Amino acid sequence: MNRSNPITGVPEPDLPPYLSSLNPEQLSAVRHEGKGLLILAGAGSGKTRVITTKIAYLVREKGIEPESILAVTFTNKAAREMRDRAAAIESECSRAVMRTFHSFGAWFLRRNSQAAGLDSNFTIYDDDDQTTLLHGAMPQNSRSECGRMVQAISRAKDLGLEPDSPDLSAAFSDPEMRRIYALYEERLRNTGNVDFGDLIRMPARLLREDEAVRRRTRQRFRVILVDEYQDSNIAQFELLRLLAGDGAYICVVGDDDQSIYRFRGAEVRNILSFPEIFPGTDIIKLERNYRSYQSILDVAGDVVSHNSGRLGKKLVAERTGGSKPKLALLEDQDSEVAYCVRVCKDHLKAGGRWSDIAILYRTNAQSLTFEKEFPRLGIPYRIVGASRFYDREEVKDALAYMAMLCNPRDEVAFKRIVNKPSRGVGETSVDILLGEAEASGSDLLSSAARAADTLKGKAKAGTRDFLALIQGLDGLLSSPNPDGESLGPFIERLVRSSGLIEYHRAQDEIAGTQKVANLEELVNAASLYPRSPEGLSDFLETIELDRSLSSEEVAADAVTLITMHNTKGLEFPLVIATGLEQGLFPRDDEEGEELEEQRRLFYVAITRAKDELYLTSCHWRRLHGRLYETMPSRFLGEIDGSRIETLKAKKSVGGYGSGAPFGQRPISARPAGTGVQDKEASAWRAGAAVYHDDYGAGVIIKVSPTPSSGPLVVVRFETGRQAQFFPKFTKKLEVQRS
DNA sequence: TCACAGTGACTTTTT
DNA sequence: GTCACTGTGA
């Protein structure tokens, strides 16, 4: 194929095929040289292709050593895809470092563990473990409160804030934040483990403070590429800056319109201000869309154009034709299901497949109606994102035994398994054992061995059994392995000799669960690793960093049920975006930045559709066991009416669909008949003194409206306890009148 | 230490 | 409607 250089217009007949198939913008992005590059890649514009081609181009054409290239993504799936596709063009690319941010952080910390003050065998705590850890440090607070605090601490880490950062008070209103964060950090450092935030923050700190590490690292990585850059947080941005220094070429690819993880710390401004922070950055926009028909892109464009603070892009479809997207204004969820079923069946009649179709929703709870009805109506389906294999109790139990073997200071693991299955070591005994470890400063196993003598009866025997068990497993793990036996049989032995398998077999019989099968699945997964301390450590890290079920995504022919968030990066020939109702999507308390993020989420949802797009909105929605009357989402009102075909339910009488403006009034909450009015809503405001039947006197520190449950009131009580309530549903909380 | 019932809360969630 | 947590009683 003959083509011209996009810049000079000079024909370049000898471009290799992997470059000649790119469009001019893509090609100039691939060949760009200079200080830095920001690629603004609209949905479906081939950004993964550009980034992988660029890696291959640098290696093949520019003589860059693959080892000096670092490419980071946010998901393991994206990292895998990047590795595969780059290697498919140029096999040398597989020597480049292509990882998720967090897996890069773990890789970096293990290589520099001494400098970072960590053992190289650290394991990684997930949010559940974090909560257990904090709860152990402040048992007077409830677990759920600790969970909330842990979330705040994680946000602080996303923001790159330390317990002693001056900015901490500005970012978090809770006056206790600093103290609790410091307490948490101390406790975490004592375990020798790290959390997800540390995987970003600690490498950054190391680069900032350790000159030798900084020099060595900067010498190595000359080219840094970042995918889905709009999802990066402040700490990640900081890490990039430190990695790049003045010398590296940095190329980020992203779409400010697809930034949907603000609530998890993502900072859109990272992309908006990238050119200012990295002076000399060039910008290339990819606006040709290869996925959807223009009729679909226009709808997406209408919606997102209502956001301020955009870099601004207009997607142009390469695919001509296509029909108008359809909006169905329906009576209730049952009609929504029926409508979806009809769309699905029509698609099949027209020669399509079930797997072409995705049904999208804002909240996981919405999948239930579909799950209940689909089997009966003959629609095969699969739910994406629901199976959290590694979050399951039995799997976490087994993982805790493994973590204990890796790191004898792992307090969270110890607490989880020392009495599971039951060995007669109760809460009091566990406290004694942990107290001994804290007092002596030694690891949990050796201090437990000493403290066991002070226990009596069952607790003493149980502790000794536990220690003997761990010791036996430890010996087996590190014993010579000349035949290269895999980790599988070892894990099998672990779940058997610990009694976990028997314990969960009993549970299976009582509750009809699949726990034993899940443990067996875990044994299977372990078979890919060698039986050795290093093998175990590798296995654990892989699991900790990639919680998606590694076993293949079953390619069954089924309709996909999926949250809008989970669709990012995916595409389907036919998309039905459901539940487009004010109060649900967006919620009524969402305004400003949050509202814009919801709009971007809608944009993401729409741009998943290749051929056909359907939107549904229900007049009545059942939520939390109540029935609510709703208005269509305000986002629907932002679409130029001529671009969509609107279908109204025949049944609809009055109000809905009869010329009512979109998204004007929120749900008129109508819990089954009673006309509850929020007459007292104004009484619930921050600063007001309240009294709770159980907790006593307190002060409201925050009030947030909810779509359907009235105001949500956060109260700090004199006891120091903090709790939230829906005044609408509880009679125990009243405002003090003085 | 365990089992049960009553109570309170209730988005999204790459790692 | 459902789940997880809390507190009680055995």
Side-chain angles (χ1 to χ4, degrees), chain A residues 183-454:
Chain A
L183 178 69
Y184 168 85
E185 277 297 287
E186 191 198 337
R187 197 85 173 199
L188 179 57
R189 294 289 82 86
N190 271 339
T191 68
N193 281 351
V194 299
D195 60 24
F196 280 108
D198 290 340
L199 292 175
I200 307 300
R201 200 182 55 139
M202 291 174 81
R205 192 194 299 150
L206 205 50
L207 287 167
R208 196 165 28 233
E209 291 171 4
D210 189 319
E211 212 214 313
V213 172
R214 181 169 61 236
R215 193 164 359 99
R216 206 170 345 119
T217 308
R218 286 186 182 168
Q219 255 163 19
R220 165 150 189 188
F221 295 115
R222 311 303 303 158
V223 174
I224 299 171
L225 302 115
V226 187
D227 195 12
E228 302 280 15
Y229 180 66
Q230 75 282 351
D231 289 333
S232 62
N233 61 37
I234 305 250
Q236 286 160 338
F237 174 77
E238 207 39 45
L239 175 59
L240 283 178
R241 212 149 67 142
L242 285 158
L243 281 168
D246 279 335
Y249 172 81
I250 180 160
C251 169
V252 301
V253 188
D255 180 358
D256 51 315
D257 289 333
Q258 292 188 65
S259 171
I260 55 173
Y261 284 105
R262 201 179 93 96
F263 68 95
R264 274 181 120 275
E267 177 55 69
V268 210
R269 269 170 297 193
N270 281 354
I271 194 167
L272 299 178
S273 63
F274 186 82
E276 291 152 42
I277 309 286
F278 289 91
T281 297
D282 295 308
I283 301 179
I284 293 176
K285 290 186 184 183
L286 304 180
E287 297 176 298
R288 299 192 199 199
N289 176 293
Y290 295 90
R291 179 184 296 151
S292 314
Y293 288 125
Q294 189 67 45
S295 56
I296 293 170
L297 297 184
D298 285 340
V299 169
D302 275 357
V303 171
V304 83
S305 71
H306 285 75
N307 275 354
S308 58
R310 302 174 60 214
L311 290 167
K313 266 182 286 73
K314 181 151 175 53
L315 287 180
V316 179
E318 290 287 311
R319 298 176 63 210
T320 53
S323 57
K324 275 189 192 178
K326 293 180 182 59
L327 165 65
L329 299 172
L330 303 159
E331 193 57 25
D332 54 24
Q333 282 159 107
D334 297 334
S335 347
E336 190 174 53
V337 172
Y339 181 77
C340 289
V341 168
R342 211 183 68 220
V343 170
C344 291
K345 291 196 167 165
D346 286 352
H347 179 72
L348 248 78
K349 262 186 222 138
R353 298 163 54 85
W354 297 119
S355 56
D356 294 341
I357 305 168
I359 295 178
L360 277 49
Y361 36 79
R362 175 69 234 285
T363 67
N364 281 308
Q366 287 165 256
S367 73
L368 204 65
T369 330
F370 297 105
E371 289 175 66
K372 277 204 288 225
E373 296 296 315
F374 276 8
R376 195 170 59 80
L377 299 164
I379 311 278
Y381 69 93
R382 61 166 192 143
I383 299 181
V384 172
S387 89
R388 313 238 72 202
F389 182 73
Y390 293 110
D391 286 346
R392 301 205 170 132
E393 182 197 0
E394 63 280 14
V395 177
K396 290 212 75 169
D397 290 345
L399 293 176
Y401 275 95
M402 297 180 218
M404 196 81 243
L405 290 168
C406 266
N407 175 7
R409 287 197 288 156
D410 191 330
E411 174 192 333
V412 172
F414 182 83
K415 271 173 58 175
R416 185 174 187 105
I417 56 173
V418 66
N419 196 38
K420 192 165 190 181
S422 179
R423 302 184 176 90
V425 188
E427 206 182 335
T428 326
S429 311
V430 173
D431 283 347
I432 292 172
L433 296 174
L434 289 175
E436 165 65 20
E438 204 180 341
S440 68
S442 52
D443 74 70
L444 287 160
L445 297 177
S446 49
S447 57
R450 285 194 305 277
D453 295 334
T454 64

Side-chain angles (χ1 to χ4, degrees), chain A residues 18-232:
Chain A
Y18 80 102
L19 293 178
S20 65
S21 52
L22 299 174
N23 72 37
E25 297 80 29
Q26 291 173 332
L27 185 62
S28 62
V30 166
R31 299 210 287 192
H32 173 269
E33 290 177 35
K35 195 137 174 35
L37 176 63
L38 166 60
I39 303 174
L40 287 174
S45 63
K47 80 180 158 61
T48 308
R49 180 153 187 223
V50 167
I51 211 166
T52 51
T53 307
K54 191 172 177 79
I55 294 169
Y57 170 82
L58 287 168
V59 169
R60 188 185 285 184
E61 250 69 49
K62 305 305 281 186
I64 305 273
E65 287 296 320
E67 286 84 357
S68 69
I69 298 176
L70 169 64
V72 287
T73 64
F74 282 86
T75 66
N76 291 288
K77 198 171 150 214
R80 271 193 297 273
E81 191 183 350
M82 187 183 283
R83 280 195 294 265
D84 293 348
R85 288 176 64 173
I89 306 172
E90 169 57 62
S91 61
E92 291 290 292
C93 291
S94 49
R95 279 155 50 211
V97 178
M98 293 183 262
R99 290 173 172 262
T100 65
F101 258 111
H102 292 90
S103 128
F104 169 74
W107 176 88
F108 184 88
L109 287 178
R110 289 205 203 277
R111 261 156 200 76
N112 298 287
S113 57
Q114 272 208 315
L118 291 166
D119 293 338
S120 63
N121 63 358
F122 65 82
T123 56
I124 302 158
Y125 279 155
D126 67 13
D127 22 340
D128 194 52
D129 302 330
Q130 288 176 280
T131 304
T132 306
L133 184 77
L134 184 63
H135 191 43
M138 34 192 284
Q140 69 280 15
N141 295 68
S142 75
R143 212 189 135 78
S144 52
E145 271 177 285
C146 292
R148 270 191 293 279
M149 290 311 306
V150 157
Q151 212 166 44
I153 290 168
S154 298
R155 283 302 80 74
K157 291 191 175 187
D158 290 344
L159 290 164
L161 298 173
E162 309 282 334
D164 59 0
S165 298
D167 293 347
L168 193 70
S169 325
F172 297 88
S173 54
D174 189 333
E176 298 286 344
M177 176 66 185
R178 196 179 292 279
R179 184 181 67 80
I180 296 169
Y181 184 6
L183 178 69
Y184 168 85
E185 277 297 287
E186 191 198 337
R187 197 85 173 199
L188 179 57
R189 294 289 82 86
N190 271 339
T191 68
N193 281 351
V194 299
D195 60 24
F196 280 108
D198 290 340
L199 292 175
I200 307 300
R201 200 182 55 139
M202 291 174 81
R205 192 194 299 150
L206 205 50
L207 287 167
R208 196 165 28 233
E209 291 171 4
D210 189 319
E211 212 214 313
V213 172
R214 181 169 61 236
R215 193 164 359 99
R216 206 170 345 119
T217 308
R218 286 186 182 168
Q219 255 163 19
R220 165 150 189 188
F221 295 115
R222 311 303 303 158
V223 174
I224 299 171
L225 302 115
V226 187
D227 195 12
E228 302 280 15
Y229 180 66
Q230 75 282 351
D231 289 333
S232 62

